[in-house]
Amino acid sequence: MSENQTTGKPIQWFPGHMAKTRRLMRENLRLVDAVVEIRDARIVRSSRNPEIERLTKGKPRVILLNKCDMADEAVTRVWCDFLRKKNLITLPVDCRSGKGLNQLTSALREACAEKLERNAARGMQGAPLHLMIVGIPNVGKSSFINRMAGSRRAKVEDRPGVTRGTQWVKLTNGMELLDMPGVLWPKFDDQQVGRHLAYTGAIRDEIMDTEDLACTLLQLLAKKYPQMLAARYKLTEEELAVNDGWELLCAAARHRGMLVRGGEADTLRAAGNVLDEFRAAKIGRISLEGPEDWRDETAESDT
Ligand SMILES: Nc1nc2c(ncn2[C@@H]2O[C@H](COP(=O)(O)OP(=O)(O)OP(=O)(O)O)[C@@H](O)[C@H]2O)c(=O)[nH]1
Ligand SMILES: [Mg+2]
């Protein structure tokens, strides 16, 4: 999405900040043995920044599908199989509870096999593994590091752009993790990617039109998860069937008693509510994308 749908103004993607992040990655890459790329299990493809892949080329990589507690389990399984078939070492995880992270050591061993063999040949079995933690804003990089460290070492907040500089965190198991600021693409050509990033909170709400976002999200949910949506907002079958985002938003507002003077639906308030509830997984465990939604370009570029 390179344009705000309502105002028609181009959306600013903080190019200065991005250039700095890119430089930080380049400078620090030679210090690390492998890259841990964190993606959002609800939007596995849209949370993949091809730039990360390009910048970290040649480094062993493990992909974590994070927030899988909020994603559709069946879809997460499909993604894991899909990526593993492309020889990408992939793990579903939930960095808030730590679920799935017990598999990480063996995944890293697999990814870094060559390096570990070299270390062993030099009698340096205990040498620490240095890992760079990368991913789009708000995907859970700092949460992952805190989980691994067993303490709150990195700042975590539910908004994008919290981590600004880099920070090394030493673990007791001999790993050293480098926290990085989120890397977003400087510009999206694909509107759908931009929307999916906005629904999940990877893009700041201040630069988005929330009513517009909520409308398209509702339309998508009515298609992909109609029962969950109807249950959450007490939508009737007719309301659900209209297949019009604006109508769905008005219906949700009415059922929640969100009205403005004169009895009309308070769509602005309802939009904020829908986005908040989706982001908190209150509507249910939902994945917005499966590999089949990207039929023509499913190939990860480095495989
Ligand atoms: N439900 C759920 N929430 C998570 C998970 N991991 C992280 N979060 C939440 O996601 C939000 C962002 O987490 P951070 O760890 O700050 O993300 P980050 O990638 O470091 O973000 P930036 O530094 O802004 O790029 C916080 O509200 C976390 O609590 C998870 O596995 N499940
Ligand atoms: Mg962070």
Side-chain angles (χ1 to χ4, degrees):
M1 196 187 303
S2 48
E3 207 172 70
N4 183 310
Q5 294 301 292
T6 305
T7 61
K9 282 191 201 134
I11 291 173
Q12 296 294 313
W13 302 110
F14 320 113
H17 175 57
M18 285 306 129
K20 183 179 159 216
T21 307
R22 238 179 261 125
R23 182 170 54 76
L24 284 174
M25 271 177 83
R26 250 186 249 117
E27 282 171 3
N28 286 287
L29 209 55
R30 58 187 177 81
L31 305 176
V32 305
D33 302 301
V35 170
V36 175
E37 181 192 348
I38 306 188
R39 296 202 205 164
D40 188 323
R42 298 167 298 173
I43 51 164
V44 173
R45 187 54 193 270
S46 294
S47 61
R48 157 188 180 243
N49 180 343
E51 196 151 60
I52 289 179
E53 227 168 76
R54 223 169 18 248
L55 285 167
T56 64
K57 209 167 181 71
K59 285 284 171 189
R61 178 160 60 122
V62 171
I63 299 177
L64 302 183
L65 305 186
N66 190 35
K67 307 199 183 185
C68 70
D69 56 306
M70 299 206 272
D72 184 330
E73 265 183 300
V75 177
T76 302
R77 260 196 307 276
V78 171
W79 272 116
C80 282
D81 291 346
F82 175 82
L83 293 168
R84 282 180 191 145
K85 270 197 198 118
K86 293 184 171 293
N87 292 322
L88 295 164
I89 302 170
T90 309
L91 291 178
V93 298
D94 162 5
C95 288
R96 210 132 78 164
S97 74
K99 204 169 155 227
L101 289 175
N102 54 349
Q103 306 287 318
L104 184 67
T105 307
S106 69
L108 282 167
R109 255 200 208 112
E110 193 186 335
C112 301
E114 264 177 47
K115 166 83 181 180
L116 293 172
E117 269 167 37
R118 240 180 299 137
N119 282 353
R122 290 188 200 143
M124 291 166 55
Q125 282 87 343
L129 267 188
H130 291 89
L131 307 174
M132 181 184 277
I133 317 305
V134 299
I136 60 163
N138 210 37
V139 76
K141 298 174 293 298
S142 298
S143 301
F144 165 74
I145 287 172
N146 291 341
R147 250 298 136 197
M148 295 298 288
S151 62
R152 208 186 140 91
R153 306 276 280 279
K155 198 166 145 198
V156 168
E157 273 177 54
D158 194 11
R159 60 184 175 87
V162 173
T163 304
R164 290 303 175 95
T166 56
Q167 179 191 0
W168 280 104
V169 175
K170 235 183 202 151
L171 308 187
T172 50
N173 67 2
M175 282 191 226
E176 295 190 25
L177 310 181
L178 182 61
D179 195 9
M180 298 283 293
V183 197
L184 200 62
W185 328 17
K187 180 170 161 277
F188 306 104
D189 293 324
D190 187 330
Q191 289 224 2
Q192 185 172 308
V193 169
R195 281 183 187 282
H196 287 194
L197 289 167
Y199 298 150
T200 53
I203 298 173
R204 293 203 261 182
D205 266 346
E206 297 96 90
I207 57 169
M208 311 299 301
D209 183 281
T210 51
E211 280 176 307
D212 172 57
L213 267 187
C215 285
T216 52
L217 175 60
L218 285 168
Q219 214 166 325
L220 183 61
L221 295 180
K223 195 171 112 210
K224 287 212 169 217
Y225 296 91
Q227 271 110 13
M228 281 186 199
L229 185 67
R232 184 74 198 170
Y233 293 98
K234 311 246 176 337
L235 302 177
T236 63
E237 263 181 45
E238 295 80 63
E239 282 168 337
L240 197 60
V242 292
N243 192 27
D244 178 280
W246 181 252
E247 292 297 331
L248 287 166
L249 184 62
C250 291
R254 281 194 304 273
H255 289 297
R256 285 285 166 90
M258 294 180 175
L259 305 172
V260 286
R261 253 201 312 228
E264 277 194 26
D266 187 346
T267 47
L268 191 59
R269 197 167 146 225
N273 183 264
V274 166
L275 291 171
D276 284 349
E277 297 201 349
F278 172 73
R279 288 173 189 160
K282 284 186 180 154
I283 302 172
R285 294 183 61 171
I286 287 172
S287 296
L288 298 178
E289 319 170 344
E292 73 283 357
D293 292 326
W294 303 91
R295 212 163 285 128
D296 41 337
E297 45 146 354
T298 39
E300 300 274 324
S301 64
D302 62 346
T303 52

